[in-house]
Amino acid sequence: MATTTRSRPPLPARIRHGWRQLRVTRSFSQEIEDLKPPTRFTFLPWLLMGVGALSHLLQGKAANPWLGGLGLLAFNSLYIGVVFTSFDPRTARGKVPRRYLLALAAVTYALAIGYGGSWLVFFPLLSLAVGIVVRGRRMGPVLVALAVSAGIVSGLRSGDIWEGVSIGYGSLISGLVTAAMLTLFDAVTQLRATRQELARNAVAEERLRFSRDLHDLLGHTLSVVVVKAEAARRLAPRDLDAALAQVADIEAVGRQALTEIREAVTGYREGSLSTELDRARSALAAAGIEALVKESGPPLPSQTEALLGWVVREGVTNVVRHSGATSCAIELAGTCGHVRLRITDDGRGVGSAPGSDPGSGSGLKGLTERLAAAGGSLGTGPGPRGGFRVVAELPVEEEQTA
């Protein structure tokens, strides 16, 4: 007799099956998020479970109908009070819903013990109210105690043990389902709030990044334009060719600034360190400041070069604007796992920095945050021989350097 073996489905079929399951899971989660949370009116239709008790009163099958009617009115009023106060933000966290719940429990046990029969269905309604009000660790013991006592009262009042089990089980399930449903909607509400907060944070972070880029771009560019314009004005009376050369540099800087602003707006700008060093030499020379640039170490990854390019741009801009220096030294020293950039001038020192303290400028603050996000640091302060110094340090992974 031949035997057949069941082979596994081919890989594409398994992938399609997994993709369908993923789509079903996503659609289910999306449906949950799209559900509207329950309101105070969601749990009111359950009061129709008491129609049987009302029918007994109207047909005269219940003893003391006036007392039963008052009890039925008290139960409905207290149940509505529990639901409304539990969904009211002003009273939900207070003691009012619990007081209504205790009164509702007293009326429920009194009606169940006194009348039995159709009045026993008030136990599941009481359990539903417990699921609305009681949360946390106390909910489990309270529901178990309610279910057990409801089962005992129902069994003794009806004389049928299975009816007691049915009432107890229904009471337990109604409370658990209500609590689980409310907990789920609370989680969905928190998820929506978290998503909105993350979206707001992302927008704020993007605005901050954009403002930093514009500050660094425009601040440096305008400083170079002003310095070169002053140089052209000084040179024009005695050396027209040199003045025209400065004007040509202003035009080139302006065109380059327009290109950089477009790239910054699109979010794809990565500055080149060598380009920034060349611009720094040009800006310092135009301001009459002697520039000394020293470079050593292996090639750097593009991201590290971009960050150090921002440091050179901001540091040289501050030197040109505020220092009143006659010389500026830019030293770049790198190893396989670390790189350090130091910018030192012989100007007026700490007072040359923007603001009242060395790190108060918005540009220096932005650089500090950029480097910190990349695992580096930025230090500012007086130089060893006076003047002002900016020191940037960044880690460099060996794989990136290779």
Side-chain angles (χ1 to χ4, degrees), residues 97-110:
R98 294 180 177 87
R99 292 174 180 173
Y100 275 113
L101 182 63
L102 291 176
L104 180 66
V107 172
T108 301
Y109 279 95

Side-chain angles (χ1 to χ4, degrees), residues 70-86:
L70 291 176
L72 184 61
L73 178 62
F75 180 89
N76 289 305
S77 301
L78 291 172
Y79 180 87
I80 294 174
V82 169
V83 173
F84 274 52
T85 55
S86 298

Side-chain angles (χ1 to χ4, degrees), residues 75 104-124 126 149-150 153-158 167:
F75 180 89
L104 180 66
V107 172
T108 301
Y109 279 95
L111 293 176
I113 295 174
Y115 289 93
S118 301
W119 301 77
L120 297 176
V121 297
F122 290 150
F123 278 121
L126 174 62
S149 61
V153 171
S154 300
L156 294 177
R157 194 65 179 81
S158 63
I167 294 295

Side-chain angles (χ1 to χ4, degrees), residues 277-313:
L277 290 174
D278 292 338
R279 293 176 182 173
R281 291 189 185 95
S282 176
L284 292 171
I289 302 174
E290 181 184 0
L292 177 61
V293 180
K294 295 181 180 180
E295 298 182 64
S296 62
L300 300 175
S302 59
Q303 183 179 5
T304 304
E305 280 201 3
L307 289 173
L308 294 179
W310 286 115
V311 177
V312 171
R313 175 184 287 262

